[in-house]
Amino acid sequence: MSSHKQYRLNLDRIEASLREVQANFDRISEKLLMRREPLTDQIIANLLEGYAYVDQLLEDGVEVFSPSGLDHILELNHIVLCGVNDSLRLEYGSHLLETRRRFANGIGAIADYCEAKRHKAAPRRAAGVYVLSVSQPQLFLEGNHRTGALVASYILVQEGLPPFVLTPKNAVAYFNPSTLIKWRDKHKFLDRQYYLKKYRRVLQDFFEETLDKRFRRSLRLDKDVTAKD
């Protein structure tokens, strides 16, 4: 697995896109298979904290699927649920503790999958990890889709691709397969049966077709601007 350290996330453009989805959510909801929670200001704030955390992981060269890196995936889930607010985390302490137990039971199979597929293209690995996180039994008690999107973004940007970010244009094509994946059994996927493979392929194609370079920034360009200043 190669590491393209010259790319990071463009957090300002990511926020602008999430705000655009928020503003158009009623229109988007009309085309969804299942009613979804709208993007509130708090959800967006927590998501942005999550993207910033992914950005820092990339900056630090952390391998989140290594034994020492797995807790960063758990932290991403805590962030999408509670942000970085310590008092809120204290309030939901029992929920987060149960989340940790659930995570400990499920992350091994996903880490093994990542290791087995380490030579595959990033969109395929990102799609596979997303499917395994969101399908039953889900990796977390809550926030599986949001956390899965952040982990997928980490995998994609680590390989030099743009992160996955919701836009008004891609929202329906993301939400509807995610809804179907949520009710499928991941063990059929791990047993090499067809059951979930089609969703992995749908999501892989979705990433390959919709990833947007606006949401990726080049460190080389940043350095060039600094040098000129």
Side-chain angles (χ1 to χ4, degrees):
M1 186 186 304
S2 60
S3 179
H4 294 255
K5 294 185 177 180
Q6 68 268 34
Y7 291 113
R8 292 290 181 276
L9 281 64
N10 190 318
L11 298 174
D12 290 339
R13 288 181 175 175
I14 290 173
E15 178 175 10
S17 185
L18 294 177
R19 295 291 179 193
E20 197 177 352
V21 173
Q22 182 185 44
N24 289 276
F25 203 81
D26 288 344
R27 177 180 58 80
I28 292 168
S29 293
E30 295 173 359
K31 301 177 182 179
L32 299 184
L33 296 173
M34 183 178 292
R35 187 176 181 276
R36 299 189 69 93
E37 183 181 7
L39 285 181
T40 64
D41 288 343
Q42 191 58 60
I43 286 176
I44 289 176
N46 291 352
L47 264 175
L48 290 171
E49 291 282 3
Y51 277 112
Y53 194 81
V54 168
D55 200 49
Q56 190 62 53
L57 292 173
L58 293 163
E59 177 75 27
D60 295 341
V62 175
E63 292 289 344
V64 301
F65 286 101
S66 68
S68 63
L70 294 177
D71 270 356
H72 291 293
I73 300 175
L74 181 63
E75 175 62 17
L76 283 171
N77 182 253
H78 291 351
I79 290 172
V80 300
L81 296 179
C82 300
V84 293
N85 187 318
D86 288 338
S87 60
L88 191 59
R89 291 192 183 200
L90 204 58
E91 184 180 342
Y92 289 97
S94 59
H95 179 91
L96 297 183
L97 185 61
E98 184 57 36
T99 294
R100 177 175 284 276
R101 293 194 190 101
R102 189 184 186 106
F103 174 80
N105 289 330
I107 191 58
I110 297 176
D112 289 346
Y113 171 87
C114 241
E115 173 62 21
K117 305 296 183 183
R118 66 187 185 278
H119 298 306
K120 300 294 185 180
R124 176 170 176 165
R125 283 185 285 114
V129 168
Y130 184 89
V131 165
L132 289 174
S133 299
V134 172
S135 55
Q136 298 294 328
Q138 293 187 300
L139 186 58
F140 302 106
L141 294 177
E142 293 182 54
N144 287 279
H145 293 97
R146 284 168 281 167
T147 310
L150 291 173
V151 175
S153 292
Y154 163 88
I155 293 170
L156 293 164
V157 181
Q158 190 184 43
E159 293 296 322
L161 297 171
F164 165 64
V165 180
L166 269 179
T167 70
K169 189 174 180 180
N170 72 22
V172 173
Y174 164 71
F175 281 133
N176 282 342
S178 294
T179 296
L180 297 174
I181 292 166
K182 179 179 179 180
W183 303 111
R184 304 305 185 193
D185 182 350
K186 68 163 47 68
H187 295 106
K188 298 295 180 72
F189 183 92
L190 292 170
D191 288 342
R192 298 179 180 276
Q193 297 184 20
Y194 180 73
Y195 206 43
L196 275 177
K197 291 256 189 316
K198 63 178 179 179
Y199 295 113
R200 192 268 298 158
R201 282 195 287 269
V202 166
L203 203 58
Q204 178 182 341
D205 290 344
F206 169 78
F207 285 148
E208 291 173 343
E209 293 167 6
T210 64
L211 292 181
D212 192 329
K213 292 180 180 178
R214 289 181 302 152
F215 304 124
R216 181 187 70 181
R217 63 184 175 88
S218 170
L219 294 184
R220 288 176 298 182
L221 290 178
D222 291 349
K223 288 177 182 177
D224 289 345
V225 169
T226 302
K228 289 176 183 177
D229 291 344

